[in-house]
Amino acid sequence: MTIASPGESSAAVAESTAELTDGYHLVVDALKMNDVETIYGLVGIPITDLARLAQARGIRYIGFRHESNAGHAAAAAGYLTKKPGVCLTVSAPGFLNGLVALANATTNCFPMVQISGSSERHIVDLQQGDYEEMDQLNAAKPFVKAAYRVSRVEDIGRGIARALRTAISGRPGGVYLDIPAAVLGSIMDAEEGAKTLSRLVDPAPRQLPAPEAVDRAIELLASAERPLVVLGKGAAYAQADDRIREFIETTGLPYVPMSMAKGLLPDDHPQSAGTARSLALKKADVVMLVGARLNWLLNHGEAPQWNPDAKFIQVDIEPREMDSNQPIAAPLVGDIESVFEVLAERTKPGQITVPAAWREELGARSAQNVAKMAKRLAADPHPMQFVGALKAIRDVVHERPETYIVNEGANALDIARSVIDMHVPRHRLDSGTWGVMGIGMGYAIAAAVETGAPVVAIEGDSAFGFSGMELETICRYKLPVITVIMNNGGVYRGDDVNPRDDAPSPTTLMAEARHDVMIEAFGGKGYRATTPAEVTAALTEAMAAGGPVLIDCVIDPSAGTESGNIGHLNPKGITVGNITVK
Ligand code: ADP
Ligand code: TZD
Ligand code: MG
């Protein structure tokens, strides 16, 4: 047996001996055994050697500048691959930074595991003031699907298996796994250690719906005069693209995609009612929700946005989701792939039809809305508006449908969602269920790392600021990420004034900011575009070059509305907006 020289880590000791192993090695072996190929993280005590060893053993390690961004990347990796994304953080502050992303992943139903080192248990539990002391397990609990701690080196394999299975099975979500420093440094017999590891069998088991539940849903759909399918990001996540498409096409049902379900069927599909969305919701009498919750994003299923007599069918893996907002007349609990398999088996040919009047009504509204949008798209005012810049982006990315679109901001989000059509499933990643800012660079990095495809991140100037330092990460790993900033000089807009003095107003940012120069500090290429033609030229060049690029689009500071499409959610006091100071 090799004896460690003073200061040599236990990882190094175990590396040089055949008979012993330690916590670091067991964590890495357990992750590899379960096909974890990438770790997104940020190192420090006590996990630096863990990241080093993972990399040495062939796990790809992507090091970030802030744990929230590493966490968002892990969450997006989980969504894109249907395997838990793994984020690695240090104790207390690093853990808390990552927790934002873990909570966001849970809210979005993305499978993710945050593994965090933690400090000495006996010191933490007596609150004696250890380096980065915190009771992380209990802090995590309210925000995650589950939180576990490994307290003995021989439980590492079990802890990792449990964390991965919990994240991925049933409704996916975020899982916290706490590994105290002492456990990582514990040494045990290598052969015994190997026996403690296991590979998950069937980590996300199929869940078939009961035949009578399926028949109930089919009968309800068959009785509808104005049926509608709503596809959510759960449907995109399920990777049951062909089955969903086949059911929609054989029945002829009109559908509306939620934002991250855009592209599950191409946005220009003849049955898409996306361009007649408000009419579709307002009038549908039978609505089939597929991997979409009836939450705020769907106005809780309430009038006036919805027909108050609408009956709902809900396809979801989570039984507790049913009746959360409206009574569900036909719950279909199961995984989407299995549900659509049974739906196809049990629907008799011609049983579900769509009355021509409904198709025509939706078609007419759609044509009207498309014409209105065409007018907006044709205008080319100066200074540049959101629509002008986004149309330019749309036209370039249409040529490359494999491009991933990441999108956050308020107006930058809402307008991009409606201007940029998607044609391929799971290629749009955005602020999601919380409408959170800060996902941009993390999601973009994950999309690039997991797929190797080009990524265009369309960012409000405020939104970008939450993760902007990751430009260095993008440049360091030479990722094919093109960041496009909709720079209107503010949160929502850039022309708000402080009525009292010349200090910037709460929504004001620097309209003259040169985000394009930021990326050049790290060796990337920056462009500044003041017209749609300049956006087209810059993006075309960037797509051809493929490397890290940032395009700062100078948008009219008076473009944009407060909170974008969701201004009505601002509480209304006696005065609203532009408060008069007495
Ligand atoms: P959106 O925001 O696009 O409307 P939501 O995030 O509200 O979508 O809804 C996603 C839903 O999909 C969640 O209720 C989740 O339980 C469900 N879900 C996720 N994966 C599956 C799956 N494989 N099968 C069935 N339901 C799923
Ligand atoms: N903090 C976090 C984490 N999430 C949030 N959603 C917000 C703050 C509040 N917020 C929004 O909801 S949108 C937004 C903030 C700060 C930024 C809007 O400005 P932008 O986009 O520049 O990104 P537009 O194009 O100017 O509207
Ligand atoms: Mg802005």
Side-chain angles (χ1 to χ4, degrees), residues 48-66:
T48 312
D49 268 352
L50 185 59
R52 284 203 184 101
L53 187 67
Q55 188 174 56
R57 292 284 178 100
I59 294 182
R60 190 170 185 183
Y61 178 81
I62 307 290
F64 283 71
R65 306 302 297 265
H66 190 288

Side-chain angles (χ1 to χ4, degrees), residues 369-421:
N369 287 343
V370 169
K372 260 194 228 157
M373 179 55 108
K375 233 190 221 158
R376 281 179 76 196
L377 288 169
D380 184 11
H382 198 81
M384 186 156 62
Q385 306 291 308
F386 283 98
V387 170
L390 290 165
K391 174 176 181 279
I393 297 169
R394 179 197 72 171
D395 292 344
V396 178
V397 299
H398 267 195
E399 304 291 310
R400 304 273 300 267
E402 79 279 16
T403 306
Y404 282 82
I405 301 289
V406 171
N407 191 195
E408 60 176 338
N411 297 281
L413 176 82
D414 293 332
I415 305 174
R417 184 175 50 231
S418 58
V419 169
I420 300 184
D421 288 346

Side-chain angles (χ1 to χ4, degrees), residues 386 460-462 486-493 509:
F386 283 98
D461 53 334
S462 164
M486 299 286 117
N487 185 4
N488 64 346
V491 176
Y492 315 133
R493 48 195 285 155
L509 297 172

